[in-house]
Amino acid sequence: MKYSDLVDVYERLDSDSKRLSKTLVVSQLLEKVPEDDIEKITLLLEGRAYPAWDERELGVAKQMMLKAVSAASGLDARRVESEWKRTGDLGEVAENLIKSGRQSTLVSHELTVGKVFENLRKLPEMTGQGSVDRKVQLIAELLTSAKPKEARYIVRTVLGTLRVGVGAGVLRDAIAWAFFPKVKGLFRELDARDYMRVLKAASVDELKNLQKYDAVEAPDPAAARLLYRHFVDSVQQAYDMSNDFGVVASAAKSGGLAGLKAMSLKVGKPVKVMLSLKVDSVEEGFERCGRPMQAEFKLDGFRVQLHKQGSKVWIFTRRLEDVTRQFPDIVDCVLKSVRADSCILDAEAVGFDPSAKKYLPFQNVSQRIRRKYDIERMVRELPVEVNVFDVLLIDGRSMVDEPFRRRREAVERIVKPIQWRILPAKCLVASGVGEVERFFAESKAAGNEGLMFKSIDAPYKPGARVGHMVKFKKTMENLDLVIVKAEWGEGKRSRWLSSYTVACRLGSKLLEIGKVSTGLKEKPEEGLSFGEMTKLLRPLIVSGEGKLVAIRPEFVIEVAYEEIQKSPTYESGYALRFPRVVRLREDKGPDDASSLKMVEQYYRGQKR
Ligand code: AMP
């Protein structure tokens, strides 16, 4: 395809900011591009040359681009720079200079998408001596053949500032709009707006019955909604598995839904991990995961996705970053322990104190994730133990649709435990509340955060936050805290004091420990409301600068939270994670508020 056709699309995207219109424009383009170009074009629409999972970067700084524009336009670099300072956009500068510089000469040959893509991909390969000049040459070569408008978008793409508003949501929907109705021979009569409308109208119950409608040929409106939702979900799932819209678009174009389903996991390419919801009790765990369910220690470490192919190992974080270099100790123990030629494992790496042989909280080992030097010393001083809790692929075979029970069996089969290095995560398959409570106590005693509960029948859903894998942490004791400051809200909350700075007690002194703004309701009929709170606090305002006002300390509120952390921000030296107001403690005054000693005690308690 000609690059100018893509540039036309960029211009249309730039001129209309509505998401729906952008989706339509992208879907129409995807529909008509030849199969050979679809991967490249999908990536270029996102303004990238590599898929999201790939860490390679074009590595072209603005100064390098100045040189390239100067070489292509024949103008002195200083002149280019002053134009750039004037307009603030190097893309526009390139466009203008090329326009004025080339009035009489005709462009020698037409740029294709393939040529642009090829040159972009050569950029990161240039390293070492002379690489800057060679990079400049590659870009200048494109700019010399470019029409003015093409130059604008080439420059923006190379600098990573394309910004035509094609994000993950737009691409996902556009792929569904482009291919599925045609593939299935359905809904030709629906335009973009109808699609959006049917999507919004689909109810949760309808979605649950989705499978039934898979094969419907001429659906009624309700079935159409489900099908549409199914298409969009299928594209999303394929993306969660591959993190590459290029290959997703290509699979959808050539094979429709079946093409997406057939997309497979690849060793060495990270997959989005399955995420968990939270429960507040063991009973709720059984409700979500069924009986029996599997309980596992919830370790306070960091998620690692381990890929192995023969003697090569990759380690990815939950954000899909490749951290293989930082963890030679994990590479080594995977090679020694794992009995599979190829596999993808899901695991938690947890730090421990090598002399005391006790788990350490995540903060202690977190530095290893970014550390690029002194790695051997880190391995010695901050060793980690890998707890493998799931498997996505073994010897080329995807395991994601297998029930968890089978995946766990596979983990036990292939992961040979090596003390303090690697093991299948400790677990218990249980039907009774009592045994789970005891297991919880055991996990806490070993220094963990709590338990994970998992349904033994459920599949692995990459990228999804699922109800069949849930976390259960110790519910912390609530604190009773005094309101000492408050802040007027924004927008529709501007009539209310909607955020409260709270303090604990040290003798007769009050020490701030955090700010809380969740837990209250906007409508009085739903519970303690912002309006009510504002009425109570307004007479107590003693001073105020702008939005923030000091409050005479009289009111005590009960505050729940996820965790107490050490923090220099507040004078108590502590801060609360995810605090929320539970209720007003009208029965308590500032003298009855929780003491700093109590806070310290709870802080230490949560570590054990
Ligand atoms: P949270 O970060 O609080 O949302 O809890 C979920 C995280 O707990 C996961 O992303 C894992 O990193 C971690 N985790 C620790 N132990 C396990 C386990 N046995 N199974 C699954 N996730 C675990």
Side-chain angles (χ1 to χ4, degrees):
M1 196 170 103
K2 292 190 293 189
Y3 186 64
S4 58
D5 291 341
L6 180 60
V7 164
D8 288 343
V9 170
Y10 285 147
E11 288 208 280
R12 285 173 66 195
L13 290 168
D14 262 339
S15 67
D16 196 335
S17 61
K18 286 198 269 332
R19 177 179 159 152
L20 211 59
S21 321
K22 286 185 194 286
T23 311
L24 189 60
V25 169
V26 173
S27 73
Q28 286 166 343
L29 172 72
L30 293 180
E31 227 176 302
K32 70 170 196 234
V33 294
E35 214 152 317
D36 283 352
D37 281 333
I38 191 155
E39 273 196 55
K40 296 172 199 147
I41 285 181
T42 309
L43 291 173
L44 289 175
L45 279 167
E46 290 183 278
R48 47 167 85 238
Y50 295 96
W53 63 269
D54 195 317
E55 289 186 331
R56 272 175 292 184
E57 287 186 7
L58 302 186
V60 174
K62 286 211 165 125
Q63 288 305 323
M64 218 187 280
M65 185 55 94
L66 275 180
K67 281 195 195 164
V69 174
S70 144
S73 63
L75 281 175
D76 182 74
R78 258 174 308 174
R79 170 89 202 277
V80 179
E81 188 165 8
S82 73
E83 281 297 300
W84 169 35
K85 291 220 168 97
R86 196 175 60 76
T87 62
D89 175 4
L90 212 45
E92 207 179 307
V93 173
E95 177 178 359
N96 292 338
L97 293 183
I98 285 176
K99 205 186 289 173
S100 55
R102 228 195 260 135
Q103 260 144 12
S104 51
T105 49
L106 278 173
V107 178
S108 50
H109 47 257
E110 184 114 47
L111 271 182
T112 62
V113 166
K115 173 69 189 166
V116 173
F117 199 75
E118 186 191 322
N119 275 28
L120 294 184
R121 283 221 164 168
K122 278 186 194 154
L123 290 169
E125 288 163 21
M126 310 274 158
T127 50
Q129 232 190 0
S131 64
V132 170
D133 287 343
R134 276 177 291 145
K135 282 186 179 189
V136 168
Q137 249 169 32
L138 279 172
I139 305 166
E141 186 196 353
L142 291 179
L143 293 178
T144 316
S145 315
K147 297 185 193 107
K149 282 220 172 88
E150 292 177 333
R152 183 200 316 170
Y153 290 102
I154 288 169
V155 169
R156 288 186 188 168
T157 304
V158 175
L159 290 177
T161 56
L162 183 70
R163 301 199 189 110
V164 289
V166 178
V170 168
L171 261 180
R172 179 199 59 203
D173 293 354
I175 292 171
W177 294 8
F179 305 123
F180 296 132
K182 311 297 181 289
V183 170
K184 286 275 206 178
L186 297 174
F187 321 137
R188 256 172 227 172
E189 70 283 7
L190 291 187
D191 72 6
R193 262 154 250 275
D194 288 325
Y195 269 123
M196 220 53 188
R197 224 174 287 133
V198 287
L199 169 62
K200 286 210 180 107
S203 75
V204 175
D205 276 337
E206 285 171 324
L207 298 175
K208 278 193 193 145
N209 287 323
L210 219 94
Q211 305 300 342
K212 276 205 304 222
Y213 294 97
D214 217 342
V216 174
E217 282 301 317
D220 58 32
R225 253 177 261 154
L226 297 178
L227 263 177
Y228 174 70
R229 190 59 194 243
H230 188 38
F231 294 153
V232 170
D233 285 350
S234 304
V235 176
Q236 182 68 46
Q237 274 169 24
Y239 179 69
D240 287 337
M241 194 118 97
S242 62
N243 294 293
D244 185 344
F245 273 118
V247 299
V248 174
S250 167
K253 187 172 181 98
S254 57
L257 277 182
L260 291 185
K261 291 249 155 62
M263 276 180 59
S264 52
L265 300 167
K266 297 234 162 36
V267 178
K269 273 177 74 171
V271 189
K272 282 200 190 149
V273 299
M274 179 161 80
L275 301 168
S276 59
L277 290 169
K278 170 172 165 266
V279 290
D280 293 320
S281 66
V282 176
E283 286 83 357
E284 204 188 332
F286 279 119
E287 272 163 37
R288 288 217 175 250
C289 302
R291 205 180 286 262
M293 66 178 177
Q294 175 154 325
E296 290 173 11
F297 279 8
K298 183 181 190 305
L299 303 134
D300 186 15
F302 53 98
R303 190 92 174 242
V304 282
Q305 191 175 84
L306 309 168
H307 291 229
K308 173 177 186 287
Q309 179 88 64
S311 61
K312 188 161 168 50
V313 173
W314 297 255
I315 306 165
F316 299 102
T317 65
R318 160 183 177 153
R319 298 175 56 208
L320 315 183
E321 288 159 306
D322 186 338
V323 290
T324 313
R325 274 203 324 121
Q326 287 91 307
F327 294 94
D329 45 342
I330 299 185
V331 173
D332 181 61
C333 75
V334 167
L335 288 175
K336 288 202 174 106
S337 146
V338 177
R339 295 157 173 170
D341 187 44
S342 73
C343 64
I344 301 178
L345 302 171
D346 198 354
E348 183 85 351
V350 51
F352 62 93
D353 178 337
S355 43
K357 293 284 191 299
K358 271 203 163 342
Y359 287 148
L360 294 170
F362 170 65
Q363 281 104 303
N364 295 50
V365 281
S366 61
Q367 49 175 308
R368 281 200 61 187
I369 299 174
R370 310 248 153 270
R371 191 73 169 228
K372 297 270 158 68
Y373 53 93
D374 260 358
I375 290 186
E376 288 307 319
R377 184 162 65 81
M378 287 286 119
V379 169
R380 277 195 313 278
E381 289 176 7
L382 293 171
V384 295
E385 180 195 70
V386 178
N387 290 256
V388 181
F389 54 76
D390 219 324
V391 56
L392 287 76
L393 174 134
I394 301 181
D395 290 337
R397 196 165 80 85
S398 169
M399 297 289 287
V400 292
D401 291 326
E402 295 283 325
F404 179 51
R405 183 165 25 95
R406 293 239 181 295
R407 303 202 305 276
R408 171 73 199 194
E409 281 164 17
V411 167
E412 287 175 14
R413 201 171 57 243
I414 66 172
V415 178
K416 187 179 109 202
I418 307 175
Q419 214 187 9
W420 287 106
R421 308 245 3 233
I422 189 167
L423 72 165
K426 190 155 161 78
C427 74
L428 171 80
V429 176
S431 304
V433 172
E435 47 183 335
V436 178
E437 293 283 7
R438 280 192 296 280
F439 194 53
F440 179 77
E442 196 189 322
S443 178
K444 294 297 284 188
N448 300 314
E449 282 187 305
L451 294 177
M452 299 292 296
F453 300 147
K454 300 176 181 183
S455 156
I456 57 176
D457 296 317
Y460 191 99
K461 293 256 175 226
R465 191 170 286 284
V466 295
H468 56 72
M469 166 167 113
V470 294
K471 55 193 165 202
F472 175 56
K473 298 190 200 177
K474 185 176 168 210
T475 40
M476 300 295 297
E477 303 278 349
N478 293 345
L479 290 169
D480 295 322
L481 302 169
V482 189
I483 300 182
V484 291
K485 281 181 199 156
E487 209 169 324
W488 293 101
E490 302 266 349
K492 68 175 175 173
R493 292 193 175 176
S494 58
R495 296 173 284 136
W496 300 320
L497 290 165
S498 65
S499 161
Y500 318 100
T501 305
V502 286
C504 61
R505 195 171 46 77
L506 175 63
S508 60
K509 269 190 5 208
L510 290 173
L511 302 178
E512 291 179 10
I513 185 168
K515 247 194 214 181
V516 50
S517 55
T518 47
L520 295 196
K521 310 289 182 227
E522 297 199 338
K523 298 194 183 115
E525 59 274 18
E526 290 173 349
L528 179 62
S529 66
F530 289 114
E532 222 172 303
M533 203 66 171
T534 308
K535 221 193 255 166
L536 291 172
L537 295 179
R538 199 197 288 265
L540 303 180
I541 296 179
V542 283
S543 63
E545 29 184 285
K547 281 187 172 298
L548 188 68
V549 293
I551 301 284
R552 195 162 70 233
E554 277 189 18
F555 276 106
V556 174
I557 48 177
E558 184 176 330
V559 177
Y561 51 90
E562 295 272 325
E563 194 186 358
I564 300 177
Q565 292 175 322
K566 287 221 181 225
S567 160
T569 314
Y570 297 106
E571 49 198 351
S572 62
Y574 293 93
L576 305 178
R577 233 177 123 214
F578 304 127
R580 60 185 188 282
V581 180
V582 179
R583 59 191 164 137
L584 197 61
R585 292 299 305 245
E586 279 146 322
D587 53 328
K588 290 196 167 180
D591 294 344
D592 309 310
S594 305
S595 64
L596 181 63
K597 213 161 147 200
M598 230 181 234
V599 172
E600 277 164 354
Q601 212 174 7
Y602 292 168
Y603 171 75
R604 282 197 303 275
Q606 70 190 6
K607 295 287 150 206
R608 282 275 64 86

